[in-house]
Amino acid sequence: MLLRCLLPAKSGAHEEFFVYQSDPMALRRLGPCGHPFINYRVGNNIGIVCRVEDDEFAVAHLTVTPKEGGGNCHEEGACRVTAELCYLLSKDDGSWRTKCLPIRHGEGKAEDLNWWETDAVIAFGDSICWVDYLRGMLFCDIFSSKLELRYVPLPVTPYEGNRHPELGDRDVFAYRSVCVTQDGGGAIKFVDAATSDLWFYGNPSYSSSPSTITSWILSDDKLTWMIDGAIEVHKFFDLTSCLGLPQMQPKFPLVDMKYPQTVYFALKEETCSGMLLVPVNMFSKILGRPTAYASRSSLSSDEDECYTSSCNLLYKEPFLPCEFSKFLGLDVPCSRQ
């Protein structure tokens, strides 16, 4: 587990990273990354991946910036951004390395990267994956001797920009999420709860309608997204009404790691601080028992075990797609429908 500490310093703040190992318990301090103060604006741009077979781990931070001069604007399909990776391998002497990496992408997909901004980082297999919820994912096999990035578009219409055109904010993670499941050796799932009236939605070009909450699973070759569950928004509202729940836009989708047919959504009243966490079985279209969300960094439940963690909805912080809460002795709601 990668831990980040922000400590006071004469210059204002100092950033420290640690890797925590639970069995056997150990805490390892990492040296400073080659990228300066990497989390000043974006907290979701550094990730860790671990290999169970040999206890090796790697930590990496990625920057994607426009090429100087905009690149070769006259070359059709040319990638106009530069990707630089700062990474550390546990088997080495503990020092960080910095390297510019090529980005492999499909035909006609280079322009998607012009507005890249990382929203989340996940680990999958031997890869660290950086996610931009407005366009796609960048995969990097961090243990490979030939490092490169591979761009995999999300099943959405790419937005030409990276911020709200008027407000300048970026709250896309409140409606979309990428999670890793534990079933069948693991898979990557993407949940899209965005409606067509949102600023980043674009013109729909996929089979799901604008009024549908859709979950997708990435194929084994990491080339194709396949729909594995969908529920119309009006049917979702019908189900919430039957349970006496508010008919609010579901936000902060999170796939249950162990039971991936279940997706959790947060329902939040706009005029008050009341919040509910509702599990939805995307296959059977059945809602599980809702749980009131406490406006703090933890949830409580009578369940013996759980595979989700809490979030801070007041500051629009997304859920943690991990089992971290179990190490803290916290329990949160879990559905097995």
Side-chain angles (χ1 to χ4, degrees), residues 165 171 186 277 326:
D171 58 353
L277 193 64
K326 294 201 299 182

Side-chain angles (χ1 to χ4, degrees), residues 43-247:
N44 292 326
N45 48 17
I46 187 168
I48 184 172
V49 61
C50 305
R51 293 199 301 196
V52 178
E53 60 270 20
D54 56 11
D55 288 331
E56 295 290 338
F57 70 83
V59 180
H61 173 263
L62 179 70
T63 61
V64 179
T65 55
K67 288 182 178 179
E68 187 175 351
N72 190 346
C73 299
H74 302 289
E75 183 180 345
E76 185 176 357
C79 188
R80 301 174 188 174
V81 297
T82 297
E84 186 177 86
L85 191 73
C86 185
Y87 65 102
L88 178 150
L89 302 176
S90 61
K91 65 180 181 180
D92 293 340
D93 58 1
S95 59
W96 293 82
R97 306 178 187 179
T98 302
K99 181 180 294 187
C100 289
L101 301 185
I103 302 178
R104 309 300 180 192
H105 53 79
E107 184 177 356
K109 298 299 181 181
E111 290 190 1
D112 291 2
L113 300 166
N114 292 346
W115 299 279
W116 180 273
E117 185 169 329
T118 300
D119 292 300
V121 184
I122 62 172
F124 184 72
D126 287 346
S127 296
I128 296 179
C129 313
W130 288 264
V131 185
D132 181 337
Y133 287 135
L134 293 180
R135 59 203 86 257
M137 305 172 64
L138 288 172
F139 283 78
C140 180
D141 182 350
I142 201 68
F143 297 104
S144 173
S145 58
K146 296 182 179 180
L147 291 177
E148 65 177 18
L149 294 166
R150 188 162 66 87
Y151 176 62
V152 177
L154 290 173
V156 300
T157 301
Y159 181 74
E160 294 187 358
N162 53 22
R163 296 277 168 174
H164 191 290
E166 297 177 359
L167 302 178
D169 60 3
R170 183 184 174 95
D171 58 353
V172 62
F173 55 77
Y175 305 94
R176 293 172 176 170
S177 71
V178 171
C179 303
V180 177
T181 69
Q182 295 178 334
D183 62 317
I188 294 179
K189 294 192 70 171
F190 170 62
V191 181
D192 188 2
T195 53
S196 58
D197 59 341
L198 293 170
W199 60 271
F200 55 83
Y201 192 86
N203 297 318
S205 59
Y206 291 87
S207 58
S208 61
S209 68
S211 58
T212 301
I213 302 169
T214 311
S215 64
W216 309 72
I217 189 168
L218 187 61
S219 61
D220 292 338
D221 59 7
K222 301 183 182 66
L223 295 176
T224 307
W225 290 96
M226 301 167 289
I227 294 179
D228 74 338
I231 181 171
E232 293 79 4
V233 172
H234 70 87
K235 290 186 178 180
F236 179 86
F237 288 158
D238 290 342
L239 294 172
T240 56
S241 295
C242 292
L243 296 178
L245 302 176
Q247 293 190 11

Side-chain angles (χ1 to χ4, degrees), residues 251-252 266-268 274-277 293 296 311-319:
K251 295 183 179 181
F252 297 99
L267 301 183
K268 179 179 181 295
M275 305 176 217
L276 292 172
L277 193 64
Y293 179 82
R296 58 180 187 270
C311 68
N312 188 338
L313 297 183
L314 295 179
Y315 295 95
K316 295 185 178 180
E317 294 178 359
F319 288 88

